């Protein structure tokens, strides 16, 4: 069994005992990016309900969690092989924690690991500016901008765990995120 971890290794010890758990199934409707927005809104609203006493804080928490969850679910859809996506999310003290699990093929793993080598190589703020400039000059689809924005602007801590011993010779990809949320 071959595994690889990128990012904040300590995040991989995710305790999902009390997590909100959602499964997106691939089927006749086919998973699409619109499912990401609906699922993200649901998760963000569910977690933000605990902040209703302050409208400003409620809106901030809902927005931040919505952005984070949407980005990670979109990546799960974009880089996945056929099959379901598991999403687990919870509020853990002053942090919002999340894990997505999906299967990918070897080609997607190689492309995604190359992307992760770039986005975890230095200061997220500097890398974000470099990637924006490179994308403008090259006219490409700005791969990695979402992850860099999460790391730079939202101070999200991220980790990715690749397990090559997945079913049907596919790789099981687990993505972990932790973002501070204020209770003040």
């Amino acid at each position: 069994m071959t595994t690889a971890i990128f990012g904040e290794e300590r995040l991989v010890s995710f305790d999902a005992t009390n997590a909100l758990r959602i499964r997106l199934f691939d089927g006749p409707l086919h998973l699409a990016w619109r499912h990401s927005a609906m699922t993200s809104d649901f998760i963000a609203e569910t977690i933000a309900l605990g902040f209703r006493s302050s409208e400003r804080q409620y809106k901030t928490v809902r927005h931040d969690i919505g952005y984070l969850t949407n980005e990670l679910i979109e990546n799960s859809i974009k880089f996945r092989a056929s099959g379901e996506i598991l999403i687990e999310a919870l509020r853990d003290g002053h942090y919002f924690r999340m894990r997505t699990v999906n299967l990918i093929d070897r080609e997607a793993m190689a492309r995604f690991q190359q992307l992760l080598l770039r986005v975890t190589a230095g200061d997220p703020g500097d890398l974000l500016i470099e990637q924006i400039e490179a994308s403008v000059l090259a006219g490409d689809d700005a791969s990695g901008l979402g992850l860099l924005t999460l790391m730079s602007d939202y101070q999200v801590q991220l980790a990715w765990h690749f397990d090559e011993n997945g079913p049907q010779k596919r790789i099981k990809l687990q993505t972990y995120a932790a973002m501070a949320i204020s209770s003040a």
Side-chain angles (χ1 to χ4, degrees):
M1 174 166 83
T2 305
T3 63
I5 297 175
F6 291 77
E8 302 275 339
E9 192 170 334
R10 64 181 171 69
L11 296 177
V12 175
S13 60
F14 184 84
D15 181 9
T17 305
N18 297 313
L20 168 68
R21 195 168 287 108
I22 298 171
R23 290 186 190 278
L24 300 179
F25 292 99
D26 199 7
L29 297 177
H30 303 291
L31 277 173
W33 285 17
R34 70 179 178 277
H35 297 108
S36 175
M38 290 184 293
T39 306
S40 297
D41 286 347
F42 175 76
I43 293 168
E45 180 66 28
T46 300
I47 301 296
L49 285 174
F51 297 90
R52 286 182 303 223
S53 60
S54 166
E55 183 177 351
R56 186 171 123 293
Q57 186 178 22
Y58 165 81
K59 286 181 179 179
T60 299
V61 168
R62 189 179 189 292
H63 170 269
D64 292 355
I65 290 173
Y67 185 82
L68 167 59
T69 56
N70 190 62
E71 187 63 35
L72 295 188
I73 295 169
E74 278 185 358
N75 280 349
S76 294
I77 291 170
K78 182 164 99 174
F79 287 103
R80 76 182 170 85
S82 183
E84 72 180 45
I85 296 171
L86 173 66
I87 303 154
E88 296 171 316
L90 61 96
R91 180 176 172 199
D92 181 14
H94 295 288
Y95 283 87
F96 170 74
R97 297 190 190 280
M98 178 177 178
R99 177 174 76 149
T100 61
V101 182
N102 58 288
L103 296 176
I104 60 175
D105 59 31
R106 292 193 185 287
E107 181 182 319
M109 179 183 72
R111 282 192 331 266
F112 197 43
Q113 286 182 345
Q114 287 295 347
L115 172 66
L116 294 177
L117 286 172
R118 284 196 323 268
V119 302
T120 60
D123 177 77
D126 293 340
L127 292 169
L128 178 60
I129 292 168
E130 289 173 21
Q131 185 62 31
I132 291 170
E133 290 170 349
S135 297
V136 169
L137 292 174
D140 65 11
D141 68 355
S143 187
L145 282 178
L147 294 175
L148 288 168
T149 300
L150 287 171
M151 292 166 30
S152 174
D153 297 355
Y154 294 82
Q155 289 74 49
V156 174
Q157 302 163 359
L158 295 163
W160 297 267
H161 181 262
F162 295 84
D163 182 354
E164 292 191 55
N165 200 23
Q168 300 145 356
K169 296 187 180 183
R170 294 200 174 133
I171 294 88
K172 180 179 173 183
L173 171 60
Q174 298 178 72
T175 303
Y176 299 87
M179 178 177 61
I181 51 176
S182 173
S183 59

